[in-house]
Amino acid sequence: MNKVNFFILKSLFLILLFTNITTVSAEVVTYPWPTSYPLPESNPVVSTIPILSDKYKVTVTQDGVSHNANPLFSRSYVSPSRDQTFSFAQFSYSGEVTVEVESLLSATNAVRVEILPAAYGINPISFDGKKVKFKLNKPGQYVSVNFIYSNATTNISMNSTTSRIKHGLMIFGDPLEQNAPQQTDAGVVVYSNEISTATLENASTIYFPPGVWDLRMRYTGPTYKGVLQINKNNQQVYLAGGAVVFGGLQLNSSWSAKKSMKLKGRGVFSGAVYPRWGIQQVEPIVYSSNKANPMIQLNASTLNEVEGICFLNTPFHCMPGGDNSTYKNMKIIGWEGNSDGIR
């Protein structure tokens, strides 16, 4: 083979190599979220918990292929934020994507749009009063999109002391998952209402597939109503994208014999079925802080890994965490006093 032919072959190899790398590295993953959850019990406030938002539409496009990233929904039932809602689109990607957000808040056009935080320097590609387009290329960099109207009350909530966005929207563009468990892997038990609690306790991984899962159907109380009990050391709980789990979780650990666990995925842990300070309580709820417990209890544990999950409508403290633990790309959305954060 002469030098010219060798150079041509080498160049073709490099072109194919980089083409393959580009194909592998650019990807968008969206999730099959349920629409709503009709409550199985009588509730004086709502009969159905909405899961998908009716305030916004979100489309994610990459390489000419568009994906519906249906935003999820949360609302406040407490004063002074009773008129506020919060929508969030959750998807995973690599490479660069174009995000289009359409506001469904009003028949009139917005006069401007904000993409925050401003420090990210993300500016609209286009904005016509109804829709805005912009690019994202840093997975794990989350942004807020606020439509501002000439009639301020369309999307501004006002009281005597403060004004705030009434119908917030967040774009949660996560990194692609790495080494996510598969339903057929050894040691993985796929959650269902029919599977035995003993089988769950012995699993290496408890896998929640897409759909609605109300842990109150299994953990009926009176203590720890709707709270998944983790007794096995190093057990993993995985929420697939599209899974909405109503309830809480407790790792049964102690300061003298610390345990570890993993809580990962792209799903949602929701406390929306509980009144304020209500998790782990005998119903009717007693509104007393000395009887309230965290939604995710990892106290007196160590070396935990929490990644990618959204914790929604936390009714009290979200997550007392263990020591030497890792928390990454998680989201906490709560309306109640003391409902945010990790301690």
Side-chain angles (χ1 to χ4, degrees):
M1 179 182 298
N2 60 41
K3 291 184 178 180
V4 174
N5 288 337
F6 177 76
F7 176 78
I8 292 172
L9 288 174
K10 183 178 179 181
S11 299
L12 287 172
F13 173 77
L14 290 173
I15 291 170
L16 289 171
L17 176 63
F18 284 111
T19 300
N20 287 335
I21 289 174
T22 302
T23 302
V24 171
S25 63
E27 185 178 355
V28 175
V29 180
T30 56
Y31 306 109
W33 300 106
T35 302
S36 61
Y37 178 44
L39 289 171
E41 76 277 7
S42 175
N43 187 295
V45 180
V46 293
S47 59
T48 298
I49 295 176
I51 294 175
L52 291 184
S53 174
D54 62 354
K55 308 298 182 186
Y56 300 95
K57 290 183 179 179
V58 176
T59 304
V60 181
T61 301
Q62 186 179 71
D63 297 331
V65 180
S66 296
H67 310 262
N68 291 327
N70 297 319
L72 286 82
F73 182 80
S74 174
R75 64 156 292 183
S76 172
Y77 296 100
V78 297
S79 180
S81 54
R82 195 180 299 273
D83 65 339
Q84 290 182 260
T85 72
F86 190 87
S87 302
F88 58 100
Q90 185 158 311
F91 58 91
S92 300
Y93 76 102
S94 60
E96 183 175 77
V97 296
T98 299
V99 178
E100 179 184 270
V101 177
E102 179 181 358
S103 171
L104 306 177
L105 299 179
S106 174
T108 61
N109 287 348
V111 295
R112 63 185 176 90
V113 66
E114 301 172 335
I115 303 174
L116 303 174
Y120 288 171
I122 299 173
N123 297 309
I125 301 170
S126 64
F127 172 62
D128 64 5
K130 292 287 188 183
K131 299 178 181 179
V132 61
K133 287 185 179 181
F134 56 92
K135 291 186 180 294
L136 294 178
N137 55 22
K138 295 181 180 179
Q141 190 178 72
Y142 305 146
V143 298
S144 172
V145 181
N146 302 326
F147 286 79
I148 308 301
Y149 292 82
S150 56
N151 180 354
T153 58
T154 301
N155 202 24
I156 300 292
S157 176
M158 300 180 184
N159 60 37
S160 59
T161 58
T162 62
S163 63
R164 64 193 77 181
I165 293 296
K166 184 185 293 185
H167 303 295
L169 172 68
M170 288 292 298
I171 305 297
F172 294 141
D174 282 310
L176 297 174
E177 293 185 84
Q178 302 295 320
N179 303 315
Q182 303 299 310
Q183 295 189 30
T184 55
D185 288 349
V188 171
V189 172
V190 179
Y191 188 90
S192 70
N193 294 326
E194 293 73 33
I195 203 161
S196 72
T197 300
T199 300
L200 294 175
E201 290 182 347
N202 290 321
S204 298
T205 297
I206 300 174
Y207 188 112
F208 285 90
V212 172
W213 307 102
D214 189 341
L215 295 178
R216 300 175 305 161
M217 302 298 101
R218 176 180 299 276
Y219 302 99
T220 57
T223 305
Y224 303 122
K225 185 177 181 66
V227 179
L228 177 64
Q229 300 295 304
I230 303 298
N231 297 307
K232 183 177 181 178
N233 191 34
N234 292 320
Q235 190 171 49
Q236 177 172 227
V237 175
Y238 178 80
L239 277 61
V244 179
V245 180
F246 290 100
L249 179 149
Q250 173 152 327
L251 173 59
N252 293 308
S253 186
S254 68
W255 294 113
S256 59
K258 295 180 180 179
K259 294 179 181 178
S260 305
M261 72 163 297
K262 297 177 181 178
L263 178 55
K264 296 186 176 185
R266 295 293 184 266
V268 171
F269 237 121
S270 176
V273 293
Y274 297 100
R276 185 179 189 184
W277 290 346
I279 207 159
Q280 301 185 4
Q281 294 305 302
V282 183
E283 292 181 338
I285 301 302
V286 177
Y287 293 97
S288 173
S289 60
N290 65 359
K291 290 187 177 182
N293 286 289
M295 182 174 169
I296 307 294
Q297 177 60 277
L298 302 180
N299 199 25
S301 62
T302 188
L303 299 173
N304 302 307
E305 297 178 31
V306 181
E307 191 270 328
I309 302 292
C310 178
F311 302 96
L312 185 63
N313 284 82
T314 50
F316 192 56
H317 293 164
C318 179
M319 184 186 303
D323 57 30
N324 300 306
S325 297
T326 301
Y327 305 91
K328 188 174 182 180
N329 295 324
M330 55 182 287
K331 309 94 180 168
I332 300 173
I333 301 167
W335 301 95
E336 306 286 354
N338 302 318
S339 67
D340 59 340
I342 304 170
R343 60 173 174 83

